[in-house]
mmCIF file of all heavy atoms in Angstrom:
data_model
loop_
_atom_site.group_PDB
_atom_site.id
_atom_site.type_symbol
_atom_site.label_atom_id
_atom_site.label_comp_id
_atom_site.label_asym_id
_atom_site.label_seq_id
_atom_site.Cartn_x
_atom_site.Cartn_y
_atom_site.Cartn_z
ATOM 1 N N VAL A 30 171.041 66.330 54.913
ATOM 2 C CA VAL A 30 169.589 66.625 54.516
ATOM 3 C C VAL A 30 168.584 65.641 55.210
ATOM 4 O O VAL A 30 167.521 66.052 55.582
ATOM 5 C CB VAL A 30 169.418 66.516 52.974
ATOM 6 C CG1 VAL A 30 168.001 66.495 52.515
ATOM 7 C CG2 VAL A 30 170.174 67.680 52.307
ATOM 8 N N VAL A 31 168.933 64.337 55.315
ATOM 9 C CA VAL A 31 168.055 63.351 55.877
ATOM 10 C C VAL A 31 167.811 63.685 57.298
ATOM 11 O O VAL A 31 166.673 63.758 57.808
ATOM 12 C CB VAL A 31 168.730 61.912 55.775
ATOM 13 C CG1 VAL A 31 167.968 61.022 56.686
ATOM 14 C CG2 VAL A 31 168.607 61.503 54.361
ATOM 15 N N PHE A 32 168.919 64.001 58.070
ATOM 16 C CA PHE A 32 168.689 64.289 59.508
ATOM 17 C C PHE A 32 168.007 65.653 59.703
ATOM 18 O O PHE A 32 167.147 65.736 60.616
ATOM 19 C CB PHE A 32 170.050 64.399 60.256
ATOM 20 C CG PHE A 32 170.609 62.924 60.611
ATOM 21 C CD1 PHE A 32 171.561 62.376 59.834
ATOM 22 C CD2 PHE A 32 170.077 62.316 61.692
ATOM 23 C CE1 PHE A 32 171.997 61.130 60.139
ATOM 24 C CE2 PHE A 32 170.512 61.022 62.044
ATOM 25 C CZ PHE A 32 171.495 60.414 61.190
ATOM 26 N N ALA A 33 168.301 66.645 58.824
ATOM 27 C CA ALA A 33 167.626 67.913 58.880
ATOM 28 C C ALA A 33 166.084 67.742 58.604
ATOM 29 O O ALA A 33 165.309 68.240 59.327
ATOM 30 C CB ALA A 33 168.276 68.912 57.911
ATOM 31 N N GLY A 34 165.819 66.957 57.532
ATOM 32 C CA GLY A 34 164.455 66.687 57.195
ATOM 33 C C GLY A 34 163.724 65.964 58.277
ATOM 34 O O GLY A 34 162.509 66.304 58.583
ATOM 35 N N LEU A 35 164.358 64.972 58.849
ATOM 36 C CA LEU A 35 163.641 64.173 59.926
ATOM 37 C C LEU A 35 163.363 65.066 61.147
ATOM 38 O O LEU A 35 162.364 64.943 61.766
ATOM 39 C CB LEU A 35 164.507 62.985 60.292
ATOM 40 C CG LEU A 35 164.629 61.883 59.218
ATOM 41 C CD1 LEU A 35 165.539 60.730 59.693
ATOM 42 C CD2 LEU A 35 163.222 61.260 58.962
ATOM 43 N N THR A 36 164.290 65.963 61.434
ATOM 44 C CA THR A 36 164.087 66.828 62.593
ATOM 45 C C THR A 36 162.868 67.757 62.325
ATOM 46 O O THR A 36 161.998 67.913 63.240
ATOM 47 C CB THR A 36 165.313 67.723 62.846
ATOM 48 O OG1 THR A 36 166.431 66.882 62.954
ATOM 49 C CG2 THR A 36 165.196 68.513 64.073
ATOM 50 N N VAL A 37 162.780 68.303 61.123
ATOM 51 C CA VAL A 37 161.559 69.132 60.848
ATOM 52 C C VAL A 37 160.351 68.325 60.937
ATOM 53 O O VAL A 37 159.288 68.747 61.420
ATOM 54 C CB VAL A 37 161.718 69.761 59.399
ATOM 55 C CG1 VAL A 37 160.496 70.579 59.045
ATOM 56 C CG2 VAL A 37 162.975 70.657 59.330
ATOM 57 N N ILE A 38 160.354 67.110 60.421
ATOM 58 C CA ILE A 38 159.146 66.215 60.414
ATOM 59 C C ILE A 38 158.748 65.888 61.774
ATOM 60 O O ILE A 38 157.530 65.925 62.156
ATOM 61 C CB ILE A 38 159.383 64.963 59.545
ATOM 62 C CG1 ILE A 38 159.499 65.325 58.010
ATOM 63 C CG2 ILE A 38 158.352 63.929 59.739
ATOM 64 C CD1 ILE A 38 160.054 64.190 57.153
ATOM 65 N N ILE A 39 159.734 65.607 62.659
ATOM 66 C CA ILE A 39 159.411 65.278 64.060
ATOM 67 C C ILE A 39 158.705 66.475 64.731
ATOM 68 O O ILE A 39 157.829 66.378 65.428
ATOM 69 C CB ILE A 39 160.701 64.882 64.770
ATOM 70 C CG1 ILE A 39 161.184 63.383 64.366
ATOM 71 C CG2 ILE A 39 160.504 64.912 66.340
ATOM 72 C CD1 ILE A 39 162.522 63.053 64.881
ATOM 73 N N ALA A 40 159.331 67.631 64.502
ATOM 74 C CA ALA A 40 158.791 68.900 65.165
ATOM 75 C C ALA A 40 157.331 69.139 64.688
ATOM 76 O O ALA A 40 156.494 69.464 65.507
ATOM 77 C CB ALA A 40 159.686 70.064 64.773
ATOM 78 N N LEU A 41 157.057 68.927 63.416
ATOM 79 C CA LEU A 41 155.762 69.157 62.890
ATOM 80 C C LEU A 41 154.733 68.085 63.401
ATOM 81 O O LEU A 41 153.546 68.413 63.725
ATOM 82 C CB LEU A 41 155.780 69.153 61.349
ATOM 83 C CG LEU A 41 156.494 70.410 60.727
ATOM 84 C CD1 LEU A 41 156.707 70.199 59.220
ATOM 85 C CD2 LEU A 41 155.725 71.711 61.028
ATOM 86 N N CYS A 42 155.160 66.810 63.370
ATOM 87 C CA CYS A 42 154.233 65.791 63.892
ATOM 88 C C CYS A 42 153.997 66.006 65.370
ATOM 89 O O CYS A 42 152.943 65.488 65.952
ATOM 90 C CB CYS A 42 154.935 64.410 63.620
ATOM 91 S SG CYS A 42 154.946 63.980 61.917
ATOM 92 N N GLY A 43 155.030 66.685 66.067
ATOM 93 C CA GLY A 43 154.788 66.923 67.494
ATOM 94 C C GLY A 43 153.562 67.781 67.762
ATOM 95 O O GLY A 43 153.111 67.772 69.000
ATOM 96 N N LEU A 44 153.029 68.464 66.779
ATOM 97 C CA LEU A 44 151.854 69.270 67.003
ATOM 98 C C LEU A 44 150.613 68.350 67.324
ATOM 99 O O LEU A 44 149.612 68.873 67.925
ATOM 100 C CB LEU A 44 151.461 70.067 65.697
ATOM 101 C CG LEU A 44 152.382 71.193 65.379
ATOM 102 C CD1 LEU A 44 152.127 71.775 64.013
ATOM 103 C CD2 LEU A 44 152.360 72.382 66.406
ATOM 104 N N SER A 45 150.783 67.123 67.107
ATOM 105 C CA SER A 45 149.612 66.155 67.431
ATOM 106 C C SER A 45 149.472 66.051 68.980
ATOM 107 O O SER A 45 148.359 65.697 69.417
ATOM 108 C CB SER A 45 149.909 64.780 66.892
ATOM 109 O OG SER A 45 150.156 64.801 65.450
ATOM 110 N N VAL A 46 150.479 66.318 69.751
ATOM 111 C CA VAL A 46 150.362 66.145 71.201
ATOM 112 C C VAL A 46 149.493 67.168 71.822
ATOM 113 O O VAL A 46 149.051 67.085 72.915
ATOM 114 C CB VAL A 46 151.822 66.192 71.917
ATOM 115 C CG1 VAL A 46 152.677 65.173 71.282
ATOM 116 C CG2 VAL A 46 152.377 67.588 71.917
ATOM 117 N N VAL A 47 149.213 68.320 71.051
ATOM 118 C CA VAL A 47 148.440 69.418 71.615
ATOM 119 C C VAL A 47 146.977 68.962 71.798
ATOM 120 O O VAL A 47 146.259 69.405 72.728
ATOM 121 C CB VAL A 47 148.433 70.602 70.693
ATOM 122 C CG1 VAL A 47 147.558 71.807 71.199
ATOM 123 C CG2 VAL A 47 149.921 71.107 70.521
ATOM 124 N N GLY A 48 146.543 68.071 70.993
ATOM 125 C CA GLY A 48 145.124 67.494 71.167
ATOM 126 C C GLY A 48 144.052 68.409 70.480
ATOM 127 O O GLY A 48 142.818 68.235 70.770
ATOM 128 N N ILE A 49 144.446 69.279 69.555
ATOM 129 C CA ILE A 49 143.473 70.094 68.792
ATOM 130 C C ILE A 49 143.585 69.565 67.403
ATOM 131 O O ILE A 49 144.515 69.773 66.738
ATOM 132 C CB ILE A 49 143.767 71.574 68.932
ATOM 133 C CG1 ILE A 49 143.626 72.067 70.364
ATOM 134 C CG2 ILE A 49 142.859 72.366 68.044
ATOM 135 C CD1 ILE A 49 143.875 73.529 70.583
ATOM 136 N N PRO A 50 142.377 69.025 66.887
ATOM 137 C CA PRO A 50 142.534 68.410 65.531
ATOM 138 C C PRO A 50 143.037 69.282 64.387
ATOM 139 O O PRO A 50 143.889 68.820 63.621
ATOM 140 C CB PRO A 50 141.013 67.997 65.301
ATOM 141 C CG PRO A 50 140.535 67.810 66.692
ATOM 142 C CD PRO A 50 141.179 68.831 67.480
ATOM 143 N N PHE A 51 142.646 70.539 64.337
ATOM 144 C CA PHE A 51 143.065 71.362 63.281
ATOM 145 C C PHE A 51 144.578 71.600 63.270
ATOM 146 O O PHE A 51 145.261 71.723 62.278
ATOM 147 C CB PHE A 51 142.312 72.628 63.131
ATOM 148 C CG PHE A 51 142.946 73.839 63.829
ATOM 149 C CD1 PHE A 51 143.746 74.723 63.086
ATOM 150 C CD2 PHE A 51 142.734 74.117 65.175
ATOM 151 C CE1 PHE A 51 144.339 75.789 63.751
ATOM 152 C CE2 PHE A 51 143.309 75.161 65.826
ATOM 153 C CZ PHE A 51 144.166 75.987 65.088
ATOM 154 N N LEU A 52 145.206 71.665 64.498
ATOM 155 C CA LEU A 52 146.652 71.808 64.500
ATOM 156 C C LEU A 52 147.280 70.548 64.205
ATOM 157 O O LEU A 52 148.429 70.476 63.602
ATOM 158 C CB LEU A 52 147.071 72.245 65.935
ATOM 159 C CG LEU A 52 147.101 73.707 66.223
ATOM 160 C CD1 LEU A 52 147.608 73.965 67.606
ATOM 161 C CD2 LEU A 52 148.039 74.412 65.328
ATOM 162 N N THR A 53 146.727 69.361 64.625
ATOM 163 C CA THR A 53 147.265 68.077 64.217
ATOM 164 C C THR A 53 147.320 67.861 62.759
ATOM 165 O O THR A 53 148.342 67.604 62.232
ATOM 166 C CB THR A 53 146.452 66.924 64.775
ATOM 167 O OG1 THR A 53 146.438 67.044 66.289
ATOM 168 C CG2 THR A 53 146.974 65.578 64.405
ATOM 169 N N VAL A 54 146.177 68.266 62.078
ATOM 170 C CA VAL A 54 146.116 68.171 60.676
ATOM 171 C C VAL A 54 147.098 69.171 59.999
ATOM 172 O O VAL A 54 147.797 68.792 58.982
ATOM 173 C CB VAL A 54 144.766 68.413 60.169
ATOM 174 C CG1 VAL A 54 144.647 68.539 58.623
ATOM 175 C CG2 VAL A 54 143.746 67.371 60.615
ATOM 176 N N MET A 55 147.262 70.365 60.553
ATOM 177 C CA MET A 55 148.208 71.358 59.967
ATOM 178 C C MET A 55 149.584 70.761 60.114
ATOM 179 O O MET A 55 150.377 70.846 59.141
ATOM 180 C CB MET A 55 148.106 72.633 60.758
ATOM 181 C CG MET A 55 149.118 73.706 60.249
ATOM 182 S SD MET A 55 149.074 75.188 61.317
ATOM 183 C CE MET A 55 147.530 75.887 60.891
ATOM 184 N N GLY A 56 149.921 70.255 61.235
ATOM 185 C CA GLY A 56 151.330 69.651 61.388
ATOM 186 C C GLY A 56 151.590 68.485 60.477
ATOM 187 O O GLY A 56 152.655 68.337 59.895
ATOM 188 N N LEU A 57 150.607 67.599 60.339
ATOM 189 C CA LEU A 57 150.801 66.409 59.473
ATOM 190 C C LEU A 57 150.823 66.811 58.012
ATOM 191 O O LEU A 57 151.654 66.185 57.325
ATOM 192 C CB LEU A 57 149.668 65.410 59.721
ATOM 193 C CG LEU A 57 149.694 64.822 61.135
ATOM 194 C CD1 LEU A 57 148.542 63.841 61.261
ATOM 195 C CD2 LEU A 57 150.911 64.027 61.416
ATOM 196 N N CYS A 58 150.064 67.785 57.602
ATOM 197 C CA CYS A 58 150.079 68.232 56.229
ATOM 198 C C CYS A 58 151.469 68.834 55.896
ATOM 199 O O CYS A 58 152.119 68.518 54.853
ATOM 200 C CB CYS A 58 149.017 69.270 55.958
ATOM 201 S SG CYS A 58 147.363 68.594 55.857
ATOM 202 N N ALA A 59 151.953 69.684 56.749
ATOM 203 C CA ALA A 59 153.319 70.259 56.627
ATOM 204 C C ALA A 59 154.330 69.285 56.666
ATOM 205 O O ALA A 59 155.303 69.328 55.860
ATOM 206 C CB ALA A 59 153.506 71.379 57.679
ATOM 207 N N ALA A 60 154.261 68.241 57.540
ATOM 208 C CA ALA A 60 155.286 67.293 57.672
ATOM 209 C C ALA A 60 155.316 66.423 56.394
ATOM 210 O O ALA A 60 156.301 65.936 55.939
ATOM 211 C CB ALA A 60 155.013 66.319 58.841
ATOM 212 N N GLY A 61 154.057 66.208 55.865
ATOM 213 C CA GLY A 61 153.980 65.349 54.575
ATOM 214 C C GLY A 61 154.663 66.240 53.464
ATOM 215 O O GLY A 61 155.334 65.598 52.582
ATOM 216 N N ALA A 62 154.454 67.516 53.450
ATOM 217 C CA ALA A 62 155.103 68.333 52.415
ATOM 218 C C ALA A 62 156.664 68.284 52.493
ATOM 219 O O ALA A 62 157.304 68.149 51.469
ATOM 220 C CB ALA A 62 154.624 69.789 52.479
ATOM 221 N N VAL A 63 157.167 68.318 53.738
ATOM 222 C CA VAL A 63 158.661 68.242 53.976
ATOM 223 C C VAL A 63 159.090 66.794 53.521
ATOM 224 O O VAL A 63 160.174 66.734 52.966
ATOM 225 C CB VAL A 63 158.890 68.552 55.395
ATOM 226 C CG1 VAL A 63 160.420 68.318 55.742
ATOM 227 C CG2 VAL A 63 158.539 70.040 55.676
ATOM 228 N N ALA A 64 158.316 65.822 53.952
ATOM 229 C CA ALA A 64 158.683 64.416 53.576
ATOM 230 C C ALA A 64 158.844 64.239 52.065
ATOM 231 O O ALA A 64 159.768 63.562 51.583
ATOM 232 C CB ALA A 64 157.700 63.427 54.105
ATOM 233 N N VAL A 65 157.868 64.814 51.298
ATOM 234 C CA VAL A 65 157.866 64.685 49.842
ATOM 235 C C VAL A 65 159.082 65.488 49.382
ATOM 236 O O VAL A 65 159.839 65.075 48.493
ATOM 237 C CB VAL A 65 156.592 65.275 49.288
ATOM 238 C CG1 VAL A 65 156.722 65.397 47.743
ATOM 239 C CG2 VAL A 65 155.411 64.375 49.619
ATOM 240 N N ALA A 66 159.348 66.646 49.910
ATOM 241 C CA ALA A 66 160.523 67.463 49.508
ATOM 242 C C ALA A 66 161.791 66.724 49.776
ATOM 243 O O ALA A 66 162.756 66.684 48.909
ATOM 244 C CB ALA A 66 160.528 68.756 50.228
ATOM 245 N N LEU A 67 161.871 66.064 50.918
ATOM 246 C CA LEU A 67 163.038 65.232 51.180
ATOM 247 C C LEU A 67 163.247 64.019 50.214
ATOM 248 O O LEU A 67 164.324 63.808 49.703
ATOM 249 C CB LEU A 67 162.920 64.656 52.590
ATOM 250 C CG LEU A 67 163.992 63.751 53.176
ATOM 251 C CD1 LEU A 67 165.326 64.534 53.193
ATOM 252 C CD2 LEU A 67 163.736 63.195 54.625
ATOM 253 N N LEU A 68 162.155 63.325 49.917
ATOM 254 C CA LEU A 68 162.210 62.202 48.965
ATOM 255 C C LEU A 68 162.657 62.654 47.552
ATOM 256 O O LEU A 68 163.421 61.957 46.884
ATOM 257 C CB LEU A 68 160.940 61.460 48.985
ATOM 258 C CG LEU A 68 160.613 60.635 50.272
ATOM 259 C CD1 LEU A 68 159.181 60.071 50.187
ATOM 260 C CD2 LEU A 68 161.643 59.534 50.508
#
């Protein structure tokens, strides 16, 4: 579960490289939700 969750979080945080703020925020919000689910 830890490795699976970290992979999802990495993929979602990767949206930040696009350089469009609303996608960055979308990715970070979703990554935060997955991180909470993991914890």
